[in-house]
Amino acid sequence: MAETEKKKRPQRNALRSQKLIKKAFAKLLHEKELNKITVSDIVKEAEICRGTFYAHFIDINDLFEQMEKETIDYVMKFIEDMGVVNFFENPRPVLELLMAGIEKDKEYYKNLLLNKSALVISERLINTLRDRFVDEITAGFPAKSKDETRAFLIYVANGIEGLFVRWLNDKAPLPTKGIIDMMCLMIGGCLDAFVRTEQ
């Protein structure tokens, strides 16, 4: 066996173990409150040994924080790669990539994001969007104050979240393409109103 193959195998095993742990935890979050989930619950659900859990995570809070960070970073990467102002002027490419990625493992994201603990992730994502992008949007639209920009970002983020949650919950009246179309219309309409409104 080649030396590179020997190095890749432990890494693949570690990634596989982490994925099993995260999927099990997300499923449990959908069934129980965060403070009621134990490491024993996770290892039983993931069908791994306890040591495997501790090889990757300090405790359940560490696991939750890492998953929260990964989720936020996943969304932010798409927007930051395109540029914030460009995203608001043409959100379709980012939304299509984002939704396609989530559709690949919709059950995982459904379990992770549709539970009481997910409110923390949702709130942090909205705050992260607002905090990271307020300066860039204000620079792109200099007639607007930072407070107006913050309000705009909160409004748009909450609207997208509402549509997204209904889609993830399989309660959206439209297919994925229709939800993306609706999000684009909403963002475009909000941006038009935001730009046209006098300070």
Side-chain angles (χ1 to χ4, degrees):
M1 184 182 304
E3 190 64 32
T4 54
E5 184 60 31
K6 287 180 184 177
K7 289 179 183 176
K8 286 181 184 176
R9 186 173 291 159
Q11 186 177 0
R12 275 195 305 246
N13 289 341
L15 291 172
R16 182 181 166 278
S17 296
Q18 288 175 21
K19 189 172 183 177
L20 287 170
I21 291 166
K22 290 172 185 175
K23 281 190 171 239
F25 184 56
K27 183 175 185 287
L28 290 164
L29 275 173
H30 200 66
E31 298 167 0
K32 299 177 166 189
E33 291 183 31
L34 176 62
N35 62 357
K36 302 243 193 285
I37 299 172
T38 66
V39 172
S40 296
D41 293 334
I42 295 168
V43 299
K44 182 179 177 186
E45 182 67 37
E47 297 180 352
I48 58 167
C49 66
R50 197 173 186 84
T52 302
F53 177 89
Y54 287 112
H56 302 289
F57 305 101
I58 297 167
D59 55 22
I60 290 175
N61 288 332
D62 180 43
L63 170 60
F64 184 75
E65 286 170 13
Q66 283 190 40
M67 290 171 70
E68 175 186 70
K69 183 181 180 321
E70 285 172 7
T71 303
I72 291 170
D73 288 349
Y74 178 71
V75 173
M76 298 302 285
K77 181 185 180 325
F78 285 109
I79 297 172
E80 287 175 340
D81 285 352
M82 183 177 193
V84 179
V85 173
N86 290 337
F87 167 74
F88 282 98
E89 291 176 342
N90 181 20
R92 183 172 303 280
V94 169
L95 293 174
E96 286 175 347
L97 286 170
L98 185 63
M99 299 288 267
I102 290 169
E103 271 190 317
K104 287 180 184 172
D105 201 351
K106 193 173 179 182
E107 192 64 27
Y108 168 75
Y109 286 102
K110 183 176 181 176
N111 287 334
L112 178 63
L113 299 172
L114 299 182
N115 62 73
K116 290 178 184 176
S117 300
L119 293 174
V120 174
I121 297 174
S122 176
E123 188 66 28
R124 287 220 179 116
L125 177 59
I126 289 170
N127 290 339
T128 301
L129 281 167
R130 185 194 65 216
D131 294 343
R132 284 198 196 171
F133 299 156
V134 71
D135 289 333
E136 193 172 334
I137 291 175
T138 304
F141 303 102
K144 297 300 173 187
S145 71
K146 286 190 176 186
D147 287 340
E148 288 174 308
T149 303
R150 282 186 193 96
F152 165 73
L153 287 170
I154 290 167
Y155 182 76
V156 171
N158 283 318
I160 290 173
E161 178 190 23
L163 281 171
F164 176 75
V165 165
R166 291 194 66 79
W167 170 79
L168 199 57
N169 230 343
D170 299 318
K171 292 185 178 177
L174 298 168
T176 303
K177 184 190 176 310
I179 293 296
I180 292 170
D181 291 344
M182 196 56 60
M183 288 179 178
C184 290
L185 283 172
M186 184 191 73
I187 292 168
C190 289
L191 182 63
D192 287 345
F194 175 69
V195 171
R196 287 184 190 148
T197 307
E198 292 297 321
Q199 192 171 358

